[in-house]
Amino acid sequence: MYKKLLLIVSFVTVCVQVHAQSLAQEFKRTSNGNPISGSVFCADPTALEYNGRLYVYGTNDHQEFIANGKKGDNTYGNIKSIVVFSTADMVNWTFHGTIDTKKICKQWVTSPWYQSYGVSWAPSVTWRTTEDGTDEFFLYFCNSSHGVGVLKANSPIGPWKSPLNKLMIHYDSPGAFPMGTSANFDPGVVVDDNGVGWISFGGLNDDGKILPDNARIAKLKPSMTELDGKAVRIPAPYHFEANELNVIGGKYVYTYCSHWSRNDADWNNYKKEKGINATIPGGGTMCYMVSDNPSDPDSWVYKGAYGPGVSGNNHSHLQKFKGNYYHIYHNHGSVLLDEMKKAGAVDGSAGDYRSICINKATVSESSATVNPVTLNLEGCDAIDTMNPYELQQAETMATSGGIEYDDFSNVKKNTKISDLGNDASENMQVKMSAGSWTYVRHVDFGTNGASKIMLRAKGEGTVELRLTRKGAKASATFNISSDEMDDYVVDVDPSKVFGTKNIYLIVTAGTDLYLDAWQATEAQTEGIVDIESNEPVKRKVYDLSGRRLPETHQHHGIVIEQYVDGKGKKHNRKRM
């Protein structure tokens, strides 16, 4: 049973610190924005914007990494879940856990075998608001090369359900590829300006041809879980895999990864026949085509390559967020995996465990033109600051060292691997030990500064909050001692904890320490407000998906309570 216990701990100005050299190593540097996670391998990204946040979903390479004992090549056969991250500022990412597709799809038919569940790769996501005002989210994924499955939810983090008892697209679907030909995989979905859903899929079996005829697109019925008619051909030159769809400036934009075979003579003939000026794409690059009528194969126009190739396969998604476009893609271990190998943190045989990255893209909406993007480790600039006076999850960070993630409601005893469910996001916590740390960027404490900081944690140990540098003097020290999640509050000096800062939460002592959330209290010009005075006068309660709950709700699990105290100050807090 989750219990809130408010412990007021006096501000500590002198403490024994863990020196920087004894801290866990960072495999994603604090100066870099890429990859989005410093500890979780993931790939094949897709994304959506919802209520001021960018949600990114990907293939859970980390599941294969753990199943293989952190060694050997990624064969993808153990990947039976999808990871979920989100951000509001493009530098700090919240890990929402995993969508357990194996658990959700366990009732699928077992015959014919190619319509049953096996694995989950390369998701694609979209959402819409129905006529009655309900938000609906649809997540499509490929079941190896055999077909495409679909999940449905009423929030971007679930809980997700399977609306069907089998794959939505398979070898027998009208217009799909028969068994033994091309792959019915790598879905790309979009809802157009008229509210109509479209899905693209297909790949492999390129045979070195300039037009391998291995890409398809189909209209979706209003349910978004059935094809509306027969899938038709997209004549994508050098098509290999990694299909995604967008609607930009009223036009349909189809993106995909090109294959590696090339013939300049074929390309020159193709350019002349189609009347285009695009240059021949490099191997494994991200290419795009544009259409006014997606169900007409002759309407698709090849526009060129916009995303450079990466080592190994390539998969990306083009996403607009808060007025800017972004190229979301994966690399093949050139950051996390290589750094882990150098440090001896993983076996040298580990290979092809991928990481999701993101860089800004430049798009002309009037012409649906995507300019070539540049890939780098610096990533994106922050587009907003973090508000420390709102409850912040411990699993929201720019990077970290030595941490693990757990779902504290669903961890089996005597196991080293968390058993995350399809709504794990309601119960995520960060597992830490002495020397481990998290790093959060662009936290705006304002001109008044903070007078108190609360840390919600359990276990036995000490956590320090440090500003700007890992080796800085502690601005707050939390002495944790509890078997359940408790709120520890310390007084801090507003003259030091003010303005926009980067912060570290560092465990200086203890093992199996669990951090859930943190929040600051803003200093008042007339003096510090006692925390006891912040009792709610008016309140509203929401679930973690943002849905308003009635006062008499029977919601099981954690909720967000928004309230105004007796002095008119607004607060947010998480409780059971």
Side-chain angles (χ1 to χ4, degrees):
M1 184 71 177
Y2 181 91
K3 179 178 66 176
K4 288 195 69 178
L5 176 64
L6 195 61
L7 302 177
I8 307 298
V9 184
S10 60
F11 176 56
V12 178
T13 57
V14 179
C15 61
V16 178
Q17 297 189 10
V18 174
H19 296 292
Q21 62 267 26
S22 62
L23 295 181
Q25 184 166 344
E26 60 182 62
F27 302 119
K28 170 191 173 181
R29 295 182 181 178
T30 54
S31 59
N32 289 341
N34 283 327
I36 65 173
S37 174
S39 59
V40 176
F41 292 114
C42 44
D44 306 322
T46 186
L48 60 82
E49 179 178 2
Y50 183 70
N51 283 355
R53 295 192 70 83
L54 175 66
Y55 290 84
V56 174
Y57 306 75
T59 303
N60 190 4
D61 279 18
H62 211 80
Q63 190 170 25
E64 179 90 9
F65 178 66
I66 296 298
N68 289 347
K70 302 182 180 181
K71 60 184 178 182
D73 286 332
N74 185 357
T75 64
Y76 317 119
N78 292 299
I79 300 176
K80 302 176 187 295
S81 59
I82 295 167
V83 298
V84 188
F85 290 85
S86 75
T87 185
D89 55 25
M90 299 307 296
V91 294
N92 297 304
W93 292 86
T94 302
F95 180 50
H96 293 286
T98 61
I99 302 171
D100 189 346
T101 49
K102 180 181 179 181
K103 178 180 177 181
I104 300 169
C105 304
K106 64 182 179 181
Q107 301 301 324
W108 282 15
V109 298
T110 57
S111 180
W113 63 268
Y114 54 80
Q115 295 182 29
S116 65
Y117 175 81
V119 293
S120 50
W121 306 339
S124 185
V125 69
T126 191
W127 72 281
R128 66 181 181 185
T129 301
T130 62
E131 291 182 358
D132 64 3
T134 301
D135 292 339
E136 293 182 329
F137 298 80
F138 298 89
L139 183 65
Y140 304 81
F141 64 92
C142 65
N143 188 55
S144 184
S145 62
H146 308 314
V148 174
V150 58
L151 305 179
K152 184 178 179 181
N154 290 119
S155 91
I157 58 174
W160 295 88
K161 296 180 180 180
S162 173
L164 306 177
N165 66 347
K166 61 183 179 181
L167 287 175
M168 186 185 81
I169 299 173
H170 47 78
Y171 294 127
D172 301 331
S173 297
F177 301 106
M179 192 181 303
T181 58
S182 297
N184 295 303
F185 77 163
D186 283 13
V189 66
V190 73
V191 175
D192 67 20
D193 296 336
N194 297 314
V196 177
W198 297 86
I199 191 165
S200 57
F201 61 94
L204 305 183
N205 193 33
D206 55 72
D207 296 330
K209 298 178 181 177
I210 190 171
L211 292 175
D213 190 26
N214 58 359
R216 294 288 183 268
I217 189 169
K219 184 180 179 182
L220 292 171
K221 290 184 177 180
S223 67
M224 297 288 289
T225 61
E226 294 181 80
L227 300 187
D228 188 0
K230 183 178 179 179
V232 299
R233 179 174 58 95
I234 299 179
Y238 299 120
H239 177 267
F240 184 62
E241 60 181 8
N243 315 282
E244 276 282 23
L245 287 171
N246 283 278
V247 174
I248 300 176
K251 297 181 181 295
Y252 299 84
V253 178
Y254 168 65
T255 62
Y256 66 93
C257 173
S258 63
H259 65 69
W260 284 262
S261 300
R262 292 292 178 274
N263 186 308
D264 288 342
D266 289 344
W267 182 252
N268 290 332
N269 292 334
Y270 174 82
K271 284 176 57 178
K272 183 177 180 180
E273 177 186 345
K274 298 297 181 180
I276 61 174
N277 294 317
T279 59
I280 188 170
T285 56
M286 297 305 304
C287 304
Y288 77 110
M289 302 184 77
V290 174
S291 169
D292 292 314
N293 181 10
S295 60
D296 177 9
D298 293 332
S299 71
W300 288 98
V301 178
Y302 179 80
K303 302 284 283 186
Y306 70 93
V310 298
S311 60
N313 59 24
N314 203 350
H315 198 121
S316 72
H317 175 70
L318 190 66
Q319 179 66 42
K320 188 177 183 180
F321 177 57
K322 293 185 177 179
N324 296 314
Y325 279 91
Y326 296 94
H327 174 65
I328 314 173
Y329 59 100
H330 67 232
N331 64 29
H332 288 255
S334 59
V335 182
L336 288 187
L337 190 60
D338 288 353
E339 292 298 318
M340 288 179 179
K341 286 182 177 180
K342 290 177 184 177
V346 301
D347 190 87
S349 66
D352 203 33
Y353 298 104
R354 301 162 294 178
S355 298
I356 292 177
C357 300
I358 183 166
N359 286 101
K360 199 169 183 179
T362 302
V363 174
S364 171
E365 293 187 334
S366 60
S367 61
T369 299
V370 185
N371 292 336
V373 298
T374 300
L375 311 185
N376 57 50
L377 295 180
E378 288 77 9
C380 302
D381 294 331
I383 62 173
D384 202 353
T385 55
M386 177 182 284
N387 182 0
Y389 305 116
E390 296 179 351
L391 188 72
Q392 300 294 341
Q393 299 300 311
E395 57 271 20
T396 301
M397 62 190 77
T399 189
S400 61
I403 71 161
E404 296 178 12
Y405 294 99
D406 275 327
D407 170 0
F408 64 74
S409 72
N410 200 24
V411 178
K412 293 180 179 179
K413 294 181 179 179
N414 304 317
T415 182
K416 295 182 179 179
I417 303 174
S418 300
D419 180 19
L420 299 178
N422 66 314
D423 55 352
S425 53
E426 292 195 8
N427 303 296
M428 290 300 295
Q429 60 185 359
V430 180
K431 182 179 179 181
M432 305 176 73
S433 298
S436 56
W437 52 272
T438 64
Y439 174 68
V440 184
R441 296 171 62 181
H442 294 276
V443 181
D444 186 5
F445 291 97
T447 56
N448 290 347
S451 60
K452 300 176 186 293
I453 296 180
M454 179 277 290
L455 179 67
R456 185 166 297 152
K458 73 174 181 179
E460 298 286 337
T462 303
V463 181
E464 293 183 357
L465 183 145
R466 303 179 187 175
L467 303 177
T468 308
R469 297 180 297 107
K470 290 179 188 174
K473 183 178 179 180
S475 295
T477 300
F478 306 89
N479 295 308
I480 311 301
S481 180
S482 59
D483 293 330
E484 298 179 350
M485 281 291 176
D486 295 333
D487 288 358
Y488 295 82
V489 179
V490 304
D491 296 325
V492 295
D493 185 349
S495 67
K496 296 180 180 179
V497 187
F498 77 99
T500 301
K501 298 286 195 299
N502 298 331
I503 68 173
Y504 292 87
L505 288 172
I506 298 175
V507 176
T508 58
T511 58
D512 293 342
L513 206 62
Y514 295 87
L515 274 57
D516 179 45
W518 62 275
Q519 186 174 10
T521 299
E522 188 173 9
Q524 305 299 309
T525 55
E526 68 274 14
I528 296 176
V529 177
D530 292 334
I531 198 163
E532 288 80 10
S533 68
N534 290 338
E535 289 303 313
V537 174
K538 299 178 181 179
R539 72 170 193 161
K540 297 178 182 178
V541 181
Y542 302 83
D543 66 15
L544 290 182
S545 303
R547 294 183 293 241
R548 176 78 180 275
L549 299 174
E551 292 293 327
T552 57
H553 71 87
Q554 299 296 318
H555 182 78
H556 297 289
I558 297 173
V559 298
I560 298 295
E561 182 181 66
Q562 296 182 354
Y563 67 91
V564 179
D565 63 32
K567 296 191 176 182
K569 186 174 179 60
K570 294 181 179 180
H571 300 269
N572 289 278
R573 66 184 179 189
K574 187 166 71 172
R575 65 173 178 79
M576 290 292 286

